[in-house]
């Protein structure tokens, strides 16, 4: 039996670089060497693609000087990984993961490996937002997860909300604001936000993750600060009405055109909200699996998760995150994460475990779904034939 050649991509340019390395560790451990021939590709904080012996370990330790540069041309006639061989790399550029080492001259390009499936294990901008997926489409390769549109809409909190509204999926009231509006007339922006309802509000950059740049605003002065903070990270800012006594319920979705939803789980943030510190610093945010909410509510949540998944043309997987108001049990969809945290103790795979699918079965299934999606794409005609 020929082994399937899989390239696992990790690291990346986003603030979730380190989280990605942790997710990749689990994915690599789950890929059965009897079935798969694996190439590890690490992407530095500067966007350089590197591979070599134990790439992941080299990224974790920061000792990447033995690794080689690799590229995927956006050209279907060369849809393989190519190694860029550089005779010399300036010494000062050989040490840090974050240094750009690609300014050399006289590179030689050599084919490294044909790849059957690319497996991006990258979170946030330049990995989960459709940009990488665009390159993979240009190269005409099979890849795990959502395509360009699903990834981009899943990442953009502004467009995502409009698509949910159009599909009658409940979401919290929100307002999209441009950075330029905040810079020109902050008072008018604040007046418009206050028309949404009572404090608290949440201010968020439209395209980011891991709660970076997000503030809970309990007063007018908080709101001014929250808007400015969010505007540091994006040109477009979302303001949302805060859900009071919120329970955070998550569900895993898997599949292409006929997606399935797992049991629901609940997150118990260690702080006032599920902030960056609560996610990654404290290490004490709890997961409750399965969620203790009544079946009537969790069934509805699963149904909304599948509708939302289809609405953005998601594929492969997504974790759908909901808010449930504790006293009224009102449900709001917060977001779909198209490349959710994927360590063996992350919510996404744990919800599947609780639904009867092991981590390695899940990884196998995602690879099958990537191949299935590629076959569907191969059926699509791109030009009119006479
Ligand atoms: N409208 C809201 N009402 C109540 N809590 C919220 C609201 N929006 C965000 N939060 C809190 O902030 C956290 C991060 O917001 P989220 O939109 O999920 O951003 P990210 O994409 O960075 O995960 C949520 O998990 C929740 O704890
Ligand atoms: Mg979130």
């Amino acid at each position: 039996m020929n082994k399937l050649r899989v390239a696992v991509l990790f690291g990346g340019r986003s603030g979730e670089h380190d989280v990605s390395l942790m997710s990749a560790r689990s994915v690599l451990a789950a890929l059965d060497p009897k079935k798969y021939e694996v190439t590890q590709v690490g992407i530095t904080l500067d966007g350089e693609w590197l591979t070599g012996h134990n790439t992941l370990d080299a990224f974790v330790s920061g000792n990447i000087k033995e690794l080689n540069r690799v590229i995927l041309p956006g050209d279907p006639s060369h849809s393989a990984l190519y190694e860029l061989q550089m005779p010399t790399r300036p010494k000062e550029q050989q040490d840090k993961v974050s240094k750009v080492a690609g300014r050399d001259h006289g590179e030689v390009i050599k084919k490294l490996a044909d790849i059957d499936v690319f497996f991006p294990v990258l979170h946030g901008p330049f990995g989960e937002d459709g940009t990488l997926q665009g390159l993979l489409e240009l190269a005409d390769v099979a890849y795990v997860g959502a395509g360009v549109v699903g990834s981009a809409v899943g990442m953009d909190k502004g467009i995502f909300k409009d698509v949910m509204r159009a599909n009658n999926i409940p979401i919290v009231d929100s307002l999209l604001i441009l950075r330029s509006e905040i810079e020109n007339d902050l008072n008018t922006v604040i007046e418009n936000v206050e028309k949404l309802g009572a404090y608290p509000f949440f201010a968020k950059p439209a395209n980011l993750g891991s709660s970076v740049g997000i503030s809970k605003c309990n007063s007018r002065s908080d709101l001014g600060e929250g808007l400015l903070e969010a505007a540091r990270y994006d040109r477009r800012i979302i303001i949302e009405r805060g859900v009071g006594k919120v329970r955070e319920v998550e569900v895993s979705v898997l599949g292409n055109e006929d997606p399935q939803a797992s049991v629901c789980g609940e997150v118990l943030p260690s702080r006032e909200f599920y902030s960056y510190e609560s996610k990654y610093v404290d290490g004490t945010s709890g997961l409750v699996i399965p969620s203790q909410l009544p079946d009537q509510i969790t069934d509805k949540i699963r149904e909304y998760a599948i509708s939302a998944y289809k609405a953005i043309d998601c594929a492969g997987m997504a974790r759908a995150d909901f808010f449930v108001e504790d006293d009224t049990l009102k449900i709001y969809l917060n977001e779909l994460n198209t490349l959710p945290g994927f360590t063996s103790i992350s919510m996404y795979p744990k919800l599947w475990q609780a639904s009867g699918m092991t981590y390695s079965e899940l990884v196998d299934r995602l690879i099958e779904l990537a191949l299935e999606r590629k076959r569907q794409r191969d059926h699509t005609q791109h030009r009119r034939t006479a």
Side-chain angles (χ1 to χ4, degrees), residues 11-203:
R13 292 168 63 185
S14 86
E16 288 162 281
H17 180 99
D18 293 339
V19 184
S20 159
L21 301 184
M22 291 189 264
S23 295
R25 170 84 61 209
S26 297
V27 170
L28 289 168
L31 286 166
D32 182 352
K34 289 201 275 307
K35 286 195 260 185
Y36 306 109
E37 194 176 307
V38 177
T39 304
Q40 300 182 19
V41 178
I43 303 177
T44 67
L45 285 165
D46 294 309
E48 201 181 18
W49 291 34
L50 301 175
T51 194
H53 183 64
N54 289 340
T55 309
L56 179 61
D57 291 338
F59 266 65
V60 172
S61 68
N63 188 10
I64 58 165
K65 58 178 181 286
E66 301 298 328
L67 301 178
N68 299 311
R69 288 199 58 195
V70 68
I71 53 170
L72 171 69
D75 168 354
S77 69
H78 287 77
S79 60
L81 284 175
Y82 287 80
E83 201 177 297
L84 264 186
Q85 293 180 332
M86 291 178 294
T88 51
R89 275 172 82 180
K91 201 158 182 21
E92 68 276 13
Q93 294 184 354
Q94 290 180 356
D95 299 329
K96 280 223 178 107
V97 173
S98 63
K99 284 264 168 70
V100 174
R103 301 273 180 267
D104 309 35
H105 299 286
E107 294 97 335
V108 179
I109 297 182
K110 196 185 97 195
K111 186 161 165 182
L112 178 76
D114 283 309
I115 300 295
D116 299 307
V117 182
F118 285 79
F119 197 144
V121 189
L122 297 151
H123 312 302
F126 307 110
E128 186 176 352
D129 63 352
T131 51
L132 173 71
Q133 289 71 16
L135 172 64
L136 297 167
E137 290 283 337
L138 285 174
D140 199 23
V141 295
Y143 59 94
V144 169
V148 174
V149 168
S151 302
V153 177
M155 181 60 85
D156 189 294
K157 295 186 198 300
I159 308 277
F160 179 77
K161 287 202 164 55
D162 289 341
V163 176
M164 294 306 115
R165 283 189 186 104
N167 284 276
N168 297 315
I169 296 168
I171 50 162
V172 296
D173 295 330
S174 65
L175 195 63
L176 181 88
I177 298 160
L178 299 178
R179 182 197 280 151
S180 56
E181 294 176 89
I182 294 172
E183 287 166 353
N184 294 340
D185 190 355
L186 183 61
N187 286 334
T188 305
V189 169
I190 289 178
E191 278 169 26
N192 289 338
V193 171
E194 288 178 341
K195 287 181 197 149
L196 273 183
Y199 285 90
F201 296 106
F202 278 79

Side-chain angles (χ1 to χ4, degrees), residues 196-333:
L196 273 183
Y199 285 90
F201 296 106
F202 278 79
K204 313 180 178 181
N207 281 278
L208 218 65
S210 286
S211 303
V212 172
I214 297 187
S215 319
K216 181 175 182 179
C217 310
N218 290 307
S219 64
R220 187 174 281 195
S221 70
D222 279 2
L223 179 59
E225 284 170 30
L227 285 163
L228 293 172
E229 173 69 6
R232 287 173 53 194
Y233 295 99
D234 206 330
R235 267 182 49 243
R236 290 157 65 250
I237 291 98
I238 295 287
I239 295 289
E240 285 174 18
R241 191 177 65 71
V243 178
K245 294 212 188 98
V246 67
R247 290 172 74 168
E248 305 206 36
V249 181
E250 304 188 345
V251 58
S252 297
V253 185
L254 178 68
N256 289 342
E257 291 185 356
D258 183 24
Q260 308 296 311
S262 70
V263 300
C264 295
E266 215 168 315
V267 180
L268 306 175
S270 58
R271 302 213 177 186
E272 194 186 356
F273 71 97
Y274 205 22
S275 59
Y276 182 87
E277 290 73 18
S278 170
K279 285 177 180 171
Y280 304 114
V281 180
D282 303 349
T284 52
S285 294
L287 307 185
V288 181
I289 300 174
S291 146
Q292 300 301 306
L293 285 161
D295 288 353
Q296 196 190 336
I297 302 295
T298 53
D299 286 349
K300 201 76 202 154
I301 286 174
R302 285 147 47 97
E303 187 185 312
Y304 286 140
I306 289 175
S307 305
Y309 192 90
K310 289 180 173 170
I312 68 165
D313 190 31
C314 203
M317 66 177 147
R319 196 190 68 225
D321 297 353
F322 289 82
F323 298 142
V324 177
E325 208 158 34
D326 199 24
D327 31 14
T328 61
L329 294 187
K330 252 188 111 180
I331 302 168
Y332 302 92
L333 174 58

